[in-house]
Amino acid sequence: MKLAIQEKLLPGDSALRRLENARALGLDGVEYDAESLGPVRLPEIAAALQTLNMQASAVNAGAVHLIHPDYDQREAAIVQVRQAMTDALDLGARGAVFVPHRADTPRLPDLRPLRTPVELEVDLLVKQLSTTLSDLAYALGAELYLAPRNRYETHLVRRLEQAATILRRNRDHPPIKIAADLFH
């Protein structure tokens, strides 16, 4: 099993120094935070990775609002994950990690008997993944890593089996995988 660490957890005043520290710890790669990347940092990080012959494991888009009740928020989340995917590929990583929803209670309405709020959220997430992000990931040759989070961060995808259920419902979209980390 290969292990990676988030860049922000590494000491060092440059991308090269942080990668040297990751190597000294025996780690195989580094995950980069999408918000910290940009046109200046991407070339610096790419050069440091090449210098040390190390690999970026992924770019973390963080918690996005793929199942927000507001359409514009959902569209912004799609743009955010798409950008993380392209940045990941620019760094030679396999893809982007994302948390589809960060809220401790449901954001969508209770429409019982048609659907509970959680059922609506799962349906919307499955549809968002299959109609917007998965096809782009496939076209780019990238992967999307759905990241479960703890109960303090989300009510929706907290356990690996919940993430697996989402993946099963997206069975025709193989670029979507699960990102399990040691903390969550």
Side-chain angles (χ1 to χ4, degrees):
M1 176 187 310
K2 292 185 176 189
L3 295 176
I5 188 170
Q6 291 180 339
E7 180 194 32
K8 65 186 173 189
L9 299 176
L10 291 166
D13 58 355
S14 69
L16 184 62
R17 295 285 177 247
R18 286 185 287 278
L19 283 170
E20 288 171 342
N21 285 318
R23 174 173 277 163
L25 292 169
L27 298 167
D28 300 297
V30 174
E31 176 185 284
Y32 292 92
D33 185 17
E35 288 183 355
S36 74
L37 300 177
V40 174
R41 282 208 71 224
L42 275 172
E44 174 197 358
I45 293 167
L49 288 165
Q50 186 174 18
T51 297
L52 294 177
N53 196 28
M54 287 189 71
Q55 185 168 355
S57 61
V59 170
N60 192 331
V64 297
H65 298 290
L66 285 175
I67 54 174
H68 197 279
D70 180 61
Y71 178 80
D72 291 338
Q73 291 286 327
R74 292 192 307 273
E75 283 300 304
I78 290 168
V79 168
Q80 195 175 342
V81 175
R82 285 179 177 164
Q83 184 62 53
M85 268 193 290
T86 58
D87 288 347
L89 294 174
D90 287 345
L91 293 176
R94 294 286 307 145
V97 176
F98 70 99
V99 176
H101 177 66
R102 185 174 180 141
D104 58 357
T105 59
R107 303 284 303 263
L108 298 182
D110 187 341
L111 298 179
R112 282 182 274 184
L114 177 63
R115 295 268 193 278
T116 67
V118 171
E119 289 169 337
L120 282 172
E121 289 178 346
V122 168
D123 289 348
L124 181 56
L125 177 57
V126 167
K127 189 60 86 175
Q128 287 282 66
L129 293 174
S130 65
T131 61
T132 59
L133 294 170
S134 182
D135 289 341
L136 179 63
Y138 181 76
L140 293 173
E143 293 178 345
L144 289 170
Y145 302 104
L146 173 64
R149 287 297 183 248
N150 63 55
R151 66 187 172 108
Y152 300 108
E153 295 182 35
T154 188
H155 73 281
L156 188 62
V157 183
R158 295 188 312 211
R159 297 185 314 274
L160 292 176
E161 63 266 16
Q162 290 169 321
T165 297
I166 305 265
L167 266 57
R168 275 193 299 279
R169 291 193 54 194
N170 276 290
R171 65 186 173 279
D172 295 327
H173 301 277
I176 304 171
K177 313 256 186 247
I178 298 172
D181 68 47
L182 300 175
F183 179 78
H184 296 281

